Amino acid sequence: MLTGHLRSLFQRPLDQLDASANYTIFYSPDKGTTVQRIKYQDKFAFVAQVDADIDISKKVFLNIDLKKIFLNTTATADAPNLTPASDPELAPVLQNINADVKIRLWLIGIDIDRHF
């Protein structure tokens, strides 16, 4: 359905409609003000992509690229500083808090290119 709509919009076939893989590497995550440390697991993700070229002139064209990344990973937070004074045995639990993280990221690229 999306392909047919874009073809009629641009009056030409799409250059690319595909699925691929992405490997995401997390570095220097922002831990915020609450936890002492946070770490995300690097992971592969599924990516869907639509790419189209629109001719502006015989040599210049507009390229539009739309990607959706479906990333599922885990995060580990270190927050022993949140241990209540009345319950010190919670410190080990708060040093290793695991969470499932789902990131659904849209990437849109628009550029002007030239044929040589």
Side-chain angles (χ1 to χ4, degrees):
M1 187 162 105
L2 179 63
T3 304
H5 177 69
L6 288 173
R7 282 185 179 152
S8 65
L9 179 66
F10 298 130
Q11 298 299 313
R12 62 178 288 173
L14 290 173
D15 292 327
Q16 186 177 43
L17 176 62
D18 69 354
S20 59
N22 165 275
Y23 189 74
T24 302
I25 299 171
F26 294 94
Y27 59 93
S28 302
D30 183 3
K31 63 183 175 74
T33 58
T34 307
V35 300
Q36 292 178 344
R37 183 182 64 86
I38 191 162
K39 178 163 177 39
Y40 292 90
Q41 182 181 2
D42 299 343
K43 217 53 186 291
F44 277 100
F46 170 76
V47 179
Q49 175 179 336
V50 176
D51 183 289
D53 292 335
I54 303 166
D55 290 328
I56 296 173
S57 69
K58 289 185 179 190
K59 292 195 173 200
V60 178
F61 63 96
L62 180 70
N63 176 266
I64 300 173
D65 182 50
L66 177 65
K67 294 179 184 176
K68 173 81 175 203
I69 299 177
F70 300 87
L71 177 63
N72 296 329
T73 189
T74 56
T76 304
D78 183 13
N81 55 308
L82 300 178
T83 305
S86 61
D87 206 359
E89 64 271 4
L90 282 177
V93 174
L94 293 172
Q95 285 179 335
N96 193 22
I97 303 168
N98 293 315
D100 291 328
V101 179
K102 291 182 180 179
I103 299 172
R104 303 295 181 256
L105 181 66
W106 284 97
L107 298 173
I108 301 171
I110 300 174
D111 56 274
I112 297 176
D113 296 319
R114 185 171 191 271
H115 293 290
F116 291 97

